[in-house]
Amino acid sequence: MTDTQSVEPRSNSARTLRRLSLAGRILVLLVALFLTLGPVVWTLWVALTPTDAAGHRTLSLAAFKDVSAKVDVVRLFWNSALVTGLAAVGQMLTAALAGYAFARLRFRGSNVLFGIILATMMVPMQVTIVPVFMLVRGMGLADTLLALILPAIPTAFGTFLMRQYFMGIPDSLAEAAQIDGASPWQVFSRIYLPLSAPGLAIVGILAFNGIWNEFFRPLIMTISQENFTLPLGMVSLQGQLGTGSMSTVLAGVVLSMIPALVVFIFGQRPLREGLTAGSVK
């Protein structure tokens, strides 16, 4: 009887601790949810409820129409899509080639060269933007979309990621293909490249998100408004000394978020599979 009475308080205390732990986790998740979605919900609310002449907020799409009237949205979208698409494809291509070379080809100084490439990841863009601008201007590409595309193609992180993927593919596949008479390029393009599709998906998605939202490089490299990308073109919505309508500015922000949201929705599964592919042998 005494043992039964001593067990019951222990079980009650254990249940209490589990409930407190569950409540703490729920509270942390709610705070994280508020911090993550709060700015997005506020942005949508202000964009969809512009202030009228009387100072009242009404639900309408007037702010989005105002965006189209003040800036050439189609042109900005086209510039951003062209720059982002070509740069993302270029990153995927160069990362695959460089990663395969460092993973499968043996040449003198490969480890040192790979270390130098990794070291460039710690150098901020603001440090290299001046020599890159001088190089682009010397090539006659200043104030062009190519000035935004070409410098964005090399990717140290993509090279590192693809190298790790290629190193995880068994050597026996390449050996069997070579026995069948496959050339080195055929081994890469027909065996290793298709198997590294999850890694390429990660490189492409991360490149899209980074380049689409980039503001600093277009600000330095372009002068003409016809070469502005979407983030740079949205600045004109603020008006002189920031006197523009807040609803119009945030409506432009919402429009710029749509492509990134679409890429996230359709790329979520490949990104998840790519991130977990290396955890299972």
Side-chain angles (χ1 to χ4, degrees):
M1 188 70 177
T2 304
D3 295 338
T4 304
Q5 293 177 350
S6 62
V7 169
E8 291 180 355
R10 294 178 182 176
S11 61
N12 291 334
S13 61
R15 285 195 295 269
T16 303
L17 290 175
R18 287 195 295 268
R19 291 173 182 174
L20 290 175
S21 177
L22 179 61
R25 289 196 294 267
I26 293 175
L27 180 61
V28 171
L29 291 176
L30 288 177
V31 172
L33 180 65
F34 174 78
L35 294 177
T36 303
L37 295 182
V40 178
V41 174
W42 177 79
T43 299
L44 290 173
W45 171 254
V46 176
L48 293 173
T49 56
T51 304
D52 56 15
H56 302 292
R57 290 192 174 275
T58 56
L59 185 64
S60 69
L61 298 177
F64 294 91
K65 296 179 181 178
D66 196 18
V67 172
S68 301
K70 290 185 176 181
V71 297
D72 190 354
V73 179
V74 176
R75 181 74 178 186
L76 295 176
F77 262 97
W78 167 251
N79 290 344
S80 291
L82 184 63
V83 171
T84 304
L86 293 180
V89 172
Q91 285 197 13
M92 295 169 65
L93 179 61
T94 57
L97 293 172
Y100 180 79
F102 284 115
R104 293 298 172 183
L105 303 182
R106 300 292 180 262
F107 55 93
R108 183 176 300 178
S110 60
N111 294 331
V112 175
L113 182 58
F114 184 69
I116 295 175
I117 292 177
L118 291 183
T120 61
M121 296 174 60
M122 300 189 300
V123 180
M125 183 190 304
Q126 289 76 8
V127 176
T128 60
I129 191 64
V130 173
V132 170
F133 175 77
M134 294 178 64
L135 180 62
V136 168
R137 186 179 63 178
M139 297 171 62
L141 299 178
D143 195 22
T144 64
L145 295 181
L146 284 177
L148 304 177
I149 297 172
L150 295 180
I153 289 179
T155 166
F157 174 76
T159 300
F160 167 77
L161 181 65
M162 295 308 300
R163 174 180 178 270
Q164 299 305 115
Y165 264 86
F166 287 130
M167 291 180 64
I169 299 177
D171 296 336
S172 58
L173 297 178
E175 295 173 356
Q178 291 173 354
I179 293 175
D180 291 339
S183 64
W185 173 254
Q186 290 175 333
V187 172
F188 166 73
S189 60
R190 297 184 181 182
I191 298 178
Y192 282 89
L193 192 60
L195 293 176
S196 65
L200 289 175
I202 295 178
V203 174
I205 293 173
L206 295 181
F208 181 91
N209 289 331
I211 300 172
W212 181 269
N213 298 316
E214 198 172 40
F215 179 82
F216 181 71
R217 198 200 307 265
L219 179 64
I220 301 299
M221 296 293 183
T222 58
I223 301 176
S224 305
Q225 291 187 359
E226 58 267 19
N227 293 325
F228 281 1
T229 57
L230 193 60
L232 191 58
M234 291 295 109
V235 176
S236 60
L237 296 176
Q238 296 180 1
Q240 187 177 8
L241 300 178
T243 57
S245 171
M246 179 62 68
S247 296
T248 303
V249 174
L250 294 184
V253 172
V254 172
L255 290 176
S256 65
M257 289 168 48
I258 293 176
L261 182 61
V262 172
V263 171
F264 172 77
I265 293 175
F266 289 97
Q268 185 177 10
R269 180 176 178 181
L271 182 62
R272 183 175 61 252
E273 292 177 352
L275 291 175
T276 58
S279 61
V280 181
K281 294 292 184 180

